[in-house]
Amino acid sequence: MKGTLAVARYTLIELTRRRILLVFFIIGFLGIAAIGIGLRVFSSAFSTGIIFGPPGSAQDPAKVNRYLELMFIQNLIGALGFFALLIAFAIGMTAIYHDLDSGAAVAIFSKPVSRLAFTTGKVAAAVVAMIAIVGVLSIEATLVGLLFGGGLEQTLTVETVAQLANALTLMLLVLALSTWMNNIVAAVVAFIYNAVSGVVVLLHNQMAAGFLGDNGVLKVGLNVLYWLVPHQLISDAQRQLARAEFDLFSSVNQGGPGGSSGPTLDQALAGVPGPSGAADIIWWVFVIALFASLVYLAVRRRQV
């Protein structure tokens, strides 16, 4: 236990010195601020083009502000996911690779530190660093959201947890690969694997929705592939945003001549994916355990 804590503490200190991690964090911090402040500062330039109510009616500032808030959250969800992946790559490429490449691991293993303790400390430090950095970005996003009045903080928090869970999967994969190969090559391989996994999950979802026909061989093949790759966890954020947008525009349409004639709420939510179910969450836990085991196996077999 002492060896694990020592390795974790040492790794956290080393991660704070990595320039690539600092650069990605600064880019994420400034990017989130730019999204929110940009929408707020320049809202006056395009808010006149957003019509809420019958033509010629007075503009409702509250509805315009609500619309801008929904735009901010939608953009922020994509930005958080992107920056979380960047941080995952940065940590995965450096947490173990630099110790092995520089020879520092030799000095560590010469002390009473087992490879299991080394791996556990490294993975624990990487997870803590990942949670801390993404958590800070999430807090910043929540504070920036107050520029629009707030109200969707819970939606953002749940989405952050899902994005963090997906990024942790990728980070562990990069950690394992960077023990066997050059860290840049490991990042490229992990990126390709992550992209292929996304395509497989997308095709499986399209098949489940009935868009790929009724080919039995295709169904079996996609079902097999689907349970061989990680599943991106999905929060209820998209459905909550779609519901909020529906409520906003339906209230506007009801104020016009003839009342509302648009789609119902069920129709508006039909094309929006729901949150991940228990099976996907259990599969994520299994994949996390599998990838963490691969990290240990890679460290154990590495000759240093």
Side-chain angles (χ1 to χ4, degrees):
M1 179 61 71
K2 290 183 179 180
T4 299
L5 293 176
V7 172
R9 182 170 58 251
Y10 155 76
T11 303
L12 287 173
I13 294 174
E14 284 298 306
L15 287 175
T16 61
R17 300 172 180 172
R18 300 301 175 192
R19 292 182 180 179
I20 184 173
L21 191 59
L22 178 62
V23 169
F24 285 163
F25 173 74
I26 292 175
I27 292 175
F29 192 88
L30 296 179
I32 291 173
I35 292 173
I37 297 175
L39 278 177
R40 182 74 279 175
V41 172
F42 296 105
S43 60
S44 59
F46 54 80
S47 62
T48 54
I50 307 173
I51 304 301
F52 289 98
S57 62
Q59 193 72 287
D60 188 343
K63 288 185 171 60
V64 173
N65 196 66
R66 181 64 169 174
Y67 178 74
L68 292 175
E69 181 183 13
L70 294 176
M71 287 181 58
F72 169 68
I73 297 297
Q74 288 172 347
N75 289 321
L76 191 62
I77 285 176
L80 271 177
F82 176 73
F83 292 129
L85 291 181
L86 285 182
I87 300 299
F89 275 112
I91 295 176
M93 292 169 62
T94 58
I96 291 180
Y97 177 80
H98 282 290
D99 281 348
L100 297 175
D101 187 57
S102 65
V106 177
I108 295 175
F109 292 142
S110 66
K111 300 176 181 179
V113 177
S114 67
R115 295 191 180 235
L116 177 60
F118 175 82
T119 305
T120 304
K122 287 290 183 179
V123 171
V127 172
V128 169
M130 186 77 195
I131 293 174
I133 295 173
V134 176
V136 170
L137 294 179
S138 176
I139 293 173
E140 181 207 5
T142 301
L143 294 176
V144 175
L146 296 178
L147 293 173
F148 305 92
L152 293 174
E153 292 83 3
Q154 184 177 359
T155 299
L156 187 57
T157 300
V158 174
E159 177 62 21
T160 301
V161 172
Q163 298 285 9
L164 179 61
N166 296 328
L168 286 175
T169 304
L170 184 62
M171 183 192 70
L172 289 175
L173 179 60
V174 179
L175 277 175
L177 292 174
S178 65
T179 307
W180 281 319
M181 61 187 72
N182 178 274
N183 59 349
I184 296 178
V185 177
V188 172
V189 173
F191 177 81
I192 295 174
Y193 178 78
N194 187 62
V196 172
S197 299
V199 171
V200 170
V201 173
L202 176 62
L203 290 176
H204 183 270
N205 292 338
Q206 293 292 314
M207 180 192 70
F211 296 133
L212 298 182
D214 196 27
N215 188 305
V217 176
L218 180 62
K219 284 186 175 181
V220 172
L222 283 178
N223 281 327
V224 171
L225 290 175
Y226 181 72
W227 293 106
L228 291 177
V229 299
H231 303 167
Q232 293 284 313
L233 295 184
I234 302 174
S235 74
D236 198 37
Q238 292 292 349
R239 292 182 70 88
Q240 291 184 27
L241 290 174
R243 184 179 292 106
E245 188 172 342
F246 175 85
D247 293 339
L248 176 63
F249 284 98
S250 63
S251 65
V252 170
N253 292 333
Q254 289 172 358
S260 176
S261 59
T264 63
L265 177 60
D266 291 338
Q267 292 173 335
L269 298 179
V272 182
S276 298
D280 286 328
I281 295 176
I282 293 173
W283 183 249
W284 175 82
V285 173
F286 170 77
V287 170
I288 287 291
L290 175 63
F291 283 0
S293 300
L294 289 177
V295 176
Y296 169 65
L297 179 63
V299 171
R300 183 177 179 179
R301 289 183 170 274
R302 177 66 184 261
Q303 299 297 322
V304 293

